[in-house]
Amino acid sequence: MFGLIGHSSSFADARVKARQLGYDAFADGDLDVWCTAPPQLVESVSITSLTGATIEGSYIDSCFVPEMLSRFKTAKRKVLNAMELAQKTGLQITALGGFTSIIFENFNLLREQQVRATTLDWSRFTTGNTHTAWVIARQVELNAPTLGIDLGKARVAVVGATGDIGSAVCRWMAESIRVAELLLVARQQGPLEELRDSLAGSSRILPLDLALAEADVVVWVASLPKTLTIDEATLRKPCLMVDGGYPKNLDSRFSHPDIHVLKGGIVEFHTDIGWQMMEAADMERPQRQLFACFAEAMLLEFEGWHTNFSWGRNNITLEAMERIGAASRRHGFQPLALSPQSTVHSLVA
Ligand code: NDP
C-alpha cells in the first residue's frame, strides 16, 4: 500500500474542507485549535496502471497549514505525527507532499525518529523529488518547442537552482538537454558557486531580475513571497514559465499572451482515479491530475520498490530521474502540457 501525506494550501481552505468532511469543531476553530488537530486518514483509493496492475493507498492530511510555518514546534509535530500514522496504518511507501518534505529537511527531523512508541522507518518514506524534477525537466523539453523556443539556443533560468529539485533540473538541462546557457538564481552565494562549478556547459549566477530579463524559459522551484512583483515588460517574448514551487500562484501575475505559465511538477494519469483529495488542490482535472511527488509513491508501489527513492538533499542523479521517468511512462502518467490554444499566439507571432 502507498501513502500520500499532504495539507491544505491555506487555513481558509482547510476550514472549508473540514466542514465538508463533517469536522465542524475544527471548521469553526481558530489556528490554535488547528495546531492541536491530529492527522487524519481522509481517503483510501485503488488505482490501475496502464499495465493492468492495481494498487491501493491512502491520503493522510497532516492538518498542517502554511500559516503554521513560523510555529516551528507545531510544524515539526504535524509532520512527525502524520508519518507515525502512515507507518502504523501499514503504508509501505509514503510521499511527503507540499511543505512536509521541506519541513522534514529544514528542521532536521532525521534526529526525531522516535514518535511516542513508534520508531519511524525512513525507508517507508520518499520526498518524491526525483519524479518531480524529472517531470519539470520534461515539461521544459516538451513545451518550449511548441512556443518556437529552440532549447539548444535558449537561456534557461532556474529560480531555486541550489535546492533539491532545482539542482537536479539544472543537471538535466545541462547534460541531457544541453541548453545554451543556464542562469542560476538563489539567495546564498556559496551553494550557487558550488553548483555552477559542478555543472557541465555554460552557466551564470544572476539576481532574479537580471535572470528574468534574459531567460527564454524560467523554472520556478522555490517558495517565493506573495509580495514578489515582476514587470512583464522586462521579460523576453515568448517566455515559458514552469511554476514548480508551492503554492502555485504564478499564473495570476501575467497577462501577456506571449508569457506562458505552466503548472510544474504536475502529472496527468491515463484514467480517472475516483478520489476527492485533489478537488481542493486547484487542478483543472482533479480526477486525473496530481502532484508528481505523490505519483512517485504510486510508482514505487507499482514497481515494488519499497525504498526511500528520494531522500536527503541534492542527491538526485540523472540515472534515478531516467529510472523513475521510465516507470512514470509505463504506468500511464504524463507531464502536464500547455493547452494548444495558448501556444498558437507565440507560434504565429
Ligand atoms: P529546497 O528547500 O531544497 O530548495 C529551495 C531553493 O529555493 C533553494 O535553492 C533556495 O536557495 C531557493 N530559494 C528559497 N527562497 C528563495 C528566494 N526568496 N529567492 C530565490 N531563491 C530562493 O526545496 P525543494 O527543492 O525540495 O522544493 C522546491 C519547491 O518545489 C518548493 O516550493 C516545494 O514546495 C515545491 N515542490 C513542488 C512539488 C510539486 O509541485 N509536485 C513537489 C515537491 C516540492 P536559498 O535558500 O539560497 O535562496
Side-chain angles (χ1 to χ4, degrees), residues 38-311:
Q40 300 292 326
L41 194 158
V42 177
E43 196 170 10
S44 293
V45 284
S46 62
I47 66 166
T48 301
S49 150
L50 265 185
T51 66
T54 296
I55 54 170
E56 303 202 337
S58 297
Y59 174 70
I60 290 173
D61 193 316
S62 56
C63 288
F64 165 84
V65 290
E67 286 83 347
M68 291 171 193
L69 267 177
S70 56
R71 302 186 184 202
F72 304 128
K73 280 191 181 158
T74 303
K76 264 166 60 167
R77 196 162 28 82
K78 292 282 177 189
V79 175
L80 290 168
N81 287 348
M83 291 172 84
E84 180 203 28
L85 177 59
Q87 186 163 319
K88 281 169 87 175
T89 305
L91 307 177
Q92 283 149 306
I93 185 71
T94 295
L96 303 178
F99 281 118
T100 62
S101 68
I102 291 185
I103 292 168
F104 189 93
E105 290 298 334
N106 292 0
F107 298 165
N108 200 3
L109 298 192
L110 271 180
R111 289 180 312 195
E112 319 229 359
Q113 198 165 5
Q114 196 66 32
V115 184
R116 290 171 287 273
T118 306
T119 307
L120 291 175
D121 172 1
W122 303 135
S123 69
R124 287 171 174 258
F125 299 94
T126 184
T127 62
N129 283 352
T130 311
H131 190 227
T132 301
W134 179 80
V135 168
I136 289 174
R138 288 292 291 160
Q139 287 180 298
V140 172
E141 213 167 343
L142 296 171
N143 290 280
T146 70
L147 300 174
I149 298 171
D150 175 353
L151 286 171
K153 296 181 184 156
R155 292 201 170 104
V156 177
V158 180
V159 183
T162 52
D164 195 35
I165 300 171
S167 58
V169 169
C170 286
R171 284 192 284 278
W172 188 281
M173 293 294 140
E175 292 179 37
S176 295
I177 305 186
R178 299 184 187 193
V179 300
E181 189 175 33
L182 274 169
L183 309 175
L184 311 175
V185 183
R187 293 165 303 180
Q188 301 169 73
Q189 200 64 16
L192 276 169
E193 286 169 8
E194 228 171 87
L195 175 69
R196 181 197 55 202
D197 296 346
S198 73
L199 287 172
S202 171
S203 53
R204 261 185 302 150
I205 297 167
L206 283 180
L208 179 62
D209 54 341
L210 298 185
L212 291 181
E214 290 195 37
D216 303 290
V217 176
V218 186
V219 175
W220 300 82
V221 273
S223 298
L224 293 165
K226 281 186 189 149
T227 49
L228 176 78
T229 52
I230 302 163
D231 177 3
E232 60 181 15
T234 62
L235 303 180
R236 287 180 64 81
K237 323 274 181 333
C239 182
L240 171 63
M241 301 263 180
V242 180
D243 185 5
Y246 184 87
K248 301 194 185 301
N249 48 17
L250 268 185
D251 46 357
S252 58
R253 298 178 197 222
F254 301 105
S255 56
H256 194 285
D258 284 322
I259 298 172
H260 302 266
V261 180
L262 176 59
K263 283 187 178 161
I266 304 288
V267 283
E268 184 161 315
F269 198 45
H270 68 100
T271 184
D272 283 357
I273 295 178
W275 62 7
Q276 302 303 313
M277 55 161 285
M278 281 292 145
E279 301 288 341
D282 195 23
M283 302 279 173
E284 237 168 70
R285 302 179 78 189
Q287 279 304 318
R288 290 179 182 217
Q289 292 171 356
L290 63 151
F291 296 108
C293 57
F294 283 169
E296 181 169 306
M298 297 171 178
L299 292 170
L300 298 179
E301 178 71 10
F302 275 131
E303 294 290 337
W305 300 339
H306 290 145
T307 172
N308 46 359
F309 193 82
S310 308
W311 203 239

